[in-house]
Amino acid sequence: MPFSCQVIGGADSERATILRALRECGCALPEGDAPADLVVRLSASEPPPRVRDWLLEGGPLVLALLPREDPETAAIALASGADDFLIWPRDKPLLRARLAVLERRRDNRRMRRESERRAAEEQVREADERYRLLFANVPDPIVVIEPTTARVLEVNDAFCRVYGWSVAEARELTVWDVAANPDTARQLLRAALERGAVGGAQRWTRGKDGTRILAELNVVRFRMGGRDLLCAVGRDVSERHRLAQELVLRDRLASVGTLAAGAAHEINNPLAYLFSNLTFVEEEVARAAPALRESNVDGAELLRALGEARQGAERIRDTVRDLKTFARPGLAGRGRVDVRLVLEAVLRMAGSELRERAHLVAALEAVPLVEGLA
């Protein structure tokens, strides 16, 4: 049916004449004027709203045919949803011309709406494509979560690369399958739902093979399809955490090295007195050997004891020197180094730990000198 024609006012015979003329002009109109057939007889006092509602659904144009010149009725017809009105013409050519104009207007409106629909669909498609490209190519793992069940709805490529699951496998997971500590994960989801967003939270997670991954998480609540969802963006900071731990350990070792260097310096001072006095005593014992023999004192035994004392002092001196070498390596210059001496120093420093656990036999043959810290 090309048009819904409203015949306002006039006698039944006049309306019948108008409808008959419309059919003769090619309008396929139903018999009668039932609202279901979109032939509505408007009342001047109460224009029904169904014509406007019907027009919003993109139906055909409405031509209000008035049997006589009546401005008030024409205004009511246009206000009620008619696209145009026409005072009943006495000749059919004028009616056909007005109907042709309205038909072209209807076709133009249909084409405009179709064009707008296609443009809207293209905008939606482009927006969806941009979202998918952005979601897929973000370098950090992204997970979309249904908060009531904690099920994983969607993941990006970075999540699959870091955690080892495929997209299909990830969609079968829950948050508890990924979180190393479900209790802290539950607290994080609850906080994100209540506040709308939680940022900078570091949580331990696990991959498909059980590898522990420290993730810095930013969780945001958003609404889609009439329900609240959560989007979690995580950055793998495991390497950064490991480096931070190493820096802490290095700082501690540096502090220990500084203390060791200070202790070595304090030991070296009395050690110099010890060596000097041992040398003096050894010389005096050797000089007084005849007198000692007359006094029944074994001078050789005294010298042997002094020699053992010297060996002990030399071990202390070597340990202090080795301790200073490892405590302050930056003070040494580069040069040719005998690897055997380095190994001997290491064995001396680790000797107390090895002595109770193993029997170590060192067979150090001559090797060429190497470039190192001398």
Side-chain angles (χ1 to χ4, degrees):
M1 174 170 33
F3 299 105
S4 172
C5 296
Q6 304 171 22
V7 181
I8 301 175
D12 291 340
S13 59
E14 291 179 330
R15 287 194 295 274
T17 301
I18 293 175
L19 292 175
R20 185 168 56 253
L22 290 173
R23 290 191 184 93
E24 292 176 357
C25 291
C27 294
L29 299 175
E31 296 294 336
D33 54 359
D37 295 330
L38 302 179
V39 178
V40 182
R41 181 179 303 157
L42 294 179
S43 168
S45 60
E46 187 180 0
R50 65 172 58 93
V51 176
R52 285 191 293 273
D53 296 340
W54 172 63
L55 285 176
L56 292 176
E57 298 175 3
L61 294 168
V62 176
L63 172 65
L65 295 177
L66 307 182
R68 61 182 59 85
E69 187 173 352
D70 185 351
E72 182 177 354
T73 304
I76 292 176
L78 294 175
S80 299
D83 291 280
D84 199 357
F85 71 91
L86 177 64
I87 303 301
W88 170 242
R90 297 305 176 185
D91 56 347
K92 294 179 182 179
L94 180 58
L95 176 60
R96 289 194 180 95
R98 295 297 292 270
L99 291 175
V101 170
L102 280 180
E103 189 170 8
R104 285 195 298 271
R105 187 186 300 174
R106 180 198 61 184
D107 293 340
N108 291 337
R109 187 170 67 177
R110 183 184 297 121
M111 292 175 60
R112 184 173 62 254
R113 288 179 175 173
E114 179 67 17
S115 177
E116 292 173 353
R117 183 188 64 80
R118 291 180 179 179
E121 290 178 351
E122 182 65 18
Q123 290 178 356
V124 171
R125 188 192 65 78
E126 291 179 355
D128 184 67
E129 185 66 20
R130 285 195 299 269
Y131 158 76
R132 292 188 178 278
L133 287 174
L134 178 64
F135 185 80
N137 293 293
V138 169
D140 295 325
I142 300 179
V143 184
V144 177
I145 304 166
E146 206 290 313
T148 57
T149 61
R151 294 201 63 82
V152 174
L153 301 180
E154 193 62 69
V155 298
N156 66 343
D157 295 343
F159 177 90
C160 299
R161 183 180 65 254
V162 172
Y163 288 90
W165 282 290
S166 67
V167 174
E169 291 172 334
R171 289 171 180 164
E172 300 297 324
L173 301 174
T174 65
V175 173
W176 324 131
D177 297 317
V178 184
N181 188 331
D183 291 335
T184 58
R186 190 175 292 108
Q187 294 172 2
L188 183 63
L189 296 185
R190 187 182 301 115
L193 278 175
E194 293 174 354
R195 304 177 196 170
V198 175
Q202 290 193 359
R203 296 291 186 274
W204 283 103
T205 59
R206 57 172 174 257
K208 183 178 180 180
D209 59 358
T211 303
R212 285 171 59 86
I213 301 169
L214 183 61
E216 187 176 79
L217 298 170
N218 293 280
V219 186
V220 179
R221 183 189 67 207
F222 69 101
R223 194 162 183 83
M224 177 180 289
R227 57 177 178 170
D228 287 332
L229 301 177
L230 296 176
C231 178
V233 181
R235 175 164 296 177
D236 184 1
V237 294
S238 303
E239 183 65 15
R240 189 172 72 187
H241 177 73
R242 185 186 65 80
L243 293 176
Q245 293 296 101
E246 288 185 358
L247 287 176
V248 171
L249 180 59
R250 288 179 183 179
D251 289 342
R252 291 178 180 175
L253 290 176
S255 300
V256 171
T258 302
L259 293 174
H265 177 72
E266 294 299 324
I267 293 173
N268 272 336
N269 290 333
L271 192 60
Y273 305 148
L274 179 60
F275 273 111
S276 177
N277 290 333
L278 284 174
T279 302
F280 172 74
V281 173
E282 286 174 342
E283 291 175 351
E284 291 300 317
V285 169
R287 185 181 302 113
L292 292 174
R293 282 193 297 269
E294 293 177 359
S295 303
N296 294 325
V297 177
D298 190 351
E301 185 65 24
L302 288 175
L303 290 174
R304 207 167 26 250
L306 290 171
E308 290 177 356
R310 178 178 289 277
Q311 289 178 0
E314 288 175 350
R315 288 185 61 182
I316 295 174
R317 180 194 62 194
D318 294 340
T319 300
V320 170
R321 183 178 63 244
D322 297 338
L323 188 61
K324 291 177 66 176
T325 299
F326 282 94
R328 304 178 68 183
L331 298 181
R334 298 191 64 85
R336 308 287 286 175
V337 178
D338 189 340
V339 177
R340 293 176 299 175
L341 298 179
V342 176
L343 292 176
E344 290 172 353
V346 171
L347 292 176
R348 283 195 299 270
M349 296 187 66
S352 61
E353 294 292 330
L354 295 174
R355 192 173 300 115
E356 303 296 330
R357 304 181 184 182
H359 177 65
L360 178 64
V361 178
L364 305 177
E365 299 180 356
V367 293
L369 300 179
V370 297
E371 187 74 18
L373 297 177

